[in-house]
Amino acid sequence: MLLRPFVRNGRPGLIGTMARTTVVVGLSRRRPAQTDPVAQLKELAALRDQGVLTEEEFAAQKALVLGGAAGPTG
């Protein structure tokens, strides 16, 4: 039997999922303390670029920062 390394097909593992959840919860809890939406958007964009947030999570958090809907539509 040929053994292959475990492949996730681009999906984050348990630790990655937990880290992303922690970041999203932390941003939503911290939201009232930060009043500069530009700084918040830069931080969210950096997290998206690092792969911590998905496009959908980024869009949802961006909508919260800009005072829009509570989540993505669709």
Side-chain angles (χ1 to χ4, degrees):
M1 172 186 263
L2 179 64
L3 298 176
R4 292 179 27 189
F6 181 70
V7 179
R8 285 193 254 275
N9 296 328
R11 296 187 314 258
L14 178 62
I15 301 298
T17 302
M18 290 173 58
R20 180 177 49 223
T21 302
T22 302
V23 167
V24 171
V25 169
L27 287 175
S28 63
R29 285 186 183 166
R30 216 173 20 186
R31 186 173 174 265
Q34 286 185 337
T35 57
D36 184 17
V38 174
Q40 286 180 311
L41 292 175
K42 285 181 181 179
E43 182 179 355
L44 287 170
L47 291 171
R48 180 197 58 202
D49 293 343
Q50 293 170 6
V52 176
L53 295 176
T54 64
E55 270 306 317
E56 294 80 22
E57 291 166 333
F58 172 76
Q61 290 297 317
K62 179 179 163 185
L64 287 173
V65 168
L66 297 176
T73 59

